[in-house]
Amino acid sequence: MDEQLKAAQLDCKRYKALLDELEAPLDVDVAQLDGEIEQLELDERQLRAELASLALAQQQIVVDKEAEHRLRIEEERMLREYAALKRCMLRKEDELRSTENQSRCAVVQLDKLKKTNVFNATFHIWHKDHFGTINGFRLGRLASVPVEWAEINAAWGQACLLLCSLARKMGLQFTKYRPVPFGNFSYIECLDEKGKQLPLYATGGVRFFWDSKFDQGMTAFLECLRQFKEAVESGDTKFALPYRVQKDRLEDSNNSYSIKIQLNSEEHWTKALKFMLTNLKWGLAWVASQFPDG
């Protein structure tokens, strides 16, 4: 009990000391406090101004971010358009290069065509085994190689067309006979006998061997070839066909072959036709050299 009483008395003394301290007058500088309050109010206004500025800055940041987003979208759109235009440009450049290549090829081809003689390009005379050929058609037949008459007739049509073309280029007017190209049914027109035609085509068969018109037509063709030769020789004394033409025969230095098929062997007839095509080839070459523009 005594200890509790002592503790209570000690607490009372402390409380009374604190009360006396609180009731004692404060030694405060009011002017200093007013200055501090004004400074605090000033600081508050500055802080509020800074806060308002920060709020405006934050709003501007939001606006700038939105603008940046729009710019990024616009940039992506422009990049896509650029990529599309780039692809289009590359495609156009490819088309331009292709067009330029085609143009160069066309120019080269045009130069080739300008240098190409129409006769050489149109009529190709060559040989295949025992046969002379014109544009791939064989002229003649053998027992071992029975060429179809349709092919022989086609070859005669090409030969007739060639001789007419060469004569037209030279301005040659045939006398007595005139070849008329008509495909597989070409013929020789007899100028002295109006309406008379000698065929340069045949169908074979039994009646064929007793019909001399085909032989007459081939002989008349040789006469037209001879007239062409003489027309060329009149302007070029150095020109000569490799095989002489004597009526129905073609001759080299050792042999003579008739172009008639009646009373003749197929081998000799085929040889005579080969000689005739060779003469035509020489005539073609001469005209091509004299008229390079075709």
Side-chain angles (χ1 to χ4, degrees):
M1 272 309 273
D2 291 337
E3 290 180 358
Q4 292 179 353
L5 179 60
K6 288 179 180 180
Q9 288 175 350
L10 182 60
D11 289 339
C12 275
K13 287 179 180 180
R14 289 176 179 173
Y15 289 145
K16 188 175 184 304
L18 288 173
L19 181 62
D20 291 341
E21 185 179 347
L22 289 173
E23 288 177 351
L26 296 173
D27 185 13
V28 177
D29 188 349
V30 177
Q32 182 181 357
L33 289 175
D34 289 340
E36 291 178 356
I37 290 173
E38 288 178 0
Q39 184 62 43
L40 289 173
E41 289 176 348
L42 179 60
D43 292 342
E44 181 185 9
R45 287 194 297 272
Q46 289 178 348
L47 290 172
R48 287 184 181 275
E50 290 179 2
L51 182 61
S53 177
L54 288 173
L56 291 175
Q58 187 176 10
Q59 292 178 357
Q60 187 61 42
I61 290 173
V62 173
V63 172
D64 291 343
K65 285 185 176 180
E66 292 177 351
E68 182 184 2
H69 180 66
R70 288 194 297 271
L71 286 174
R72 188 180 298 111
I73 294 175
E74 182 68 14
E75 181 184 15
E76 291 175 354
R77 183 186 66 80
M78 294 182 69
L79 286 174
R80 288 194 297 271
E81 290 184 357
Y82 170 78
L85 291 173
K86 185 70 173 179
R87 289 193 299 271
C88 182
M89 183 187 72
L90 292 175
R91 186 166 57 250
K92 294 298 182 183
E93 288 178 350
D94 288 341
E95 292 176 358
L96 177 61
R97 284 192 291 270
S98 177
T99 301
E100 289 174 346
N101 290 334
Q102 291 177 8
S103 177
R104 284 192 291 269
C105 289
V107 171
V108 171
Q109 188 65 22
L110 179 60
D111 290 339
K112 287 183 179 179
L113 290 175
K114 287 180 178 179
K115 297 175 182 178
T116 300
N117 186 276
V118 65
F119 292 110
N120 288 327
T122 307
F123 299 99
H124 178 64
I125 296 176
W126 198 238
H127 59 84
K128 183 177 181 181
D129 299 327
H130 299 287
F131 302 96
T133 63
I134 179 168
N135 289 343
F137 297 113
R138 291 172 293 181
L139 193 55
R141 60 186 288 142
L142 300 172
S144 58
V145 188
V147 179
E148 296 290 336
W149 281 105
E151 182 177 349
I152 297 172
N153 295 339
W156 268 116
Q158 293 293 303
C160 186
L161 178 61
L162 172 56
L163 183 57
C164 287
S165 300
L166 297 177
R168 187 180 301 111
K169 193 66 180 178
M170 293 177 55
L172 169 63
Q173 296 293 329
F174 292 109
T175 59
K176 192 174 181 180
Y177 301 111
R178 183 174 70 88
V180 179
F182 199 64
N184 285 27
F185 300 96
S186 300
Y187 58 89
I188 300 293
E189 180 182 2
C190 298
L191 300 178
D192 296 340
E193 301 179 52
K194 188 176 181 179
K196 185 177 181 180
Q197 298 177 358
L198 301 174
L200 288 175
Y201 57 89
T203 58
V206 177
R207 293 182 59 187
F208 163 73
F209 291 100
W210 299 100
D211 188 355
S212 62
K213 287 186 177 180
F214 185 43
D215 280 349
Q216 293 174 18
M218 291 186 288
T219 302
F221 186 88
L222 278 188
E223 169 59 22
C224 294
L225 181 58
R226 186 190 63 79
Q227 292 181 30
F228 167 79
K229 175 187 76 74
E230 291 182 349
V232 174
E233 289 175 344
S234 66
D236 185 356
T237 56
K238 295 181 179 180
F239 176 81
L241 293 176
Y243 301 105
R244 294 185 301 274
V245 178
Q246 296 290 340
K247 295 184 179 179
D248 65 309
R249 308 187 75 83
L250 291 106
E251 303 174 351
D252 61 10
S253 57
N254 299 316
N255 300 293
S256 172
Y257 300 98
S258 174
I259 201 169
K260 292 182 178 181
I261 197 170
Q262 288 186 335
L263 304 177
N264 195 5
S265 68
E266 289 182 330
E267 288 79 5
H268 286 182
W269 180 59
T270 298
K271 179 71 74 172
L273 294 174
K274 190 174 183 179
F275 285 2
M276 181 203 71
L277 285 179
T278 302
N279 280 354
L280 273 178
K281 185 178 180 69
W282 281 54
L284 185 154
W286 184 87
V287 171
S289 67
Q290 300 300 310
F291 305 93
D293 60 345

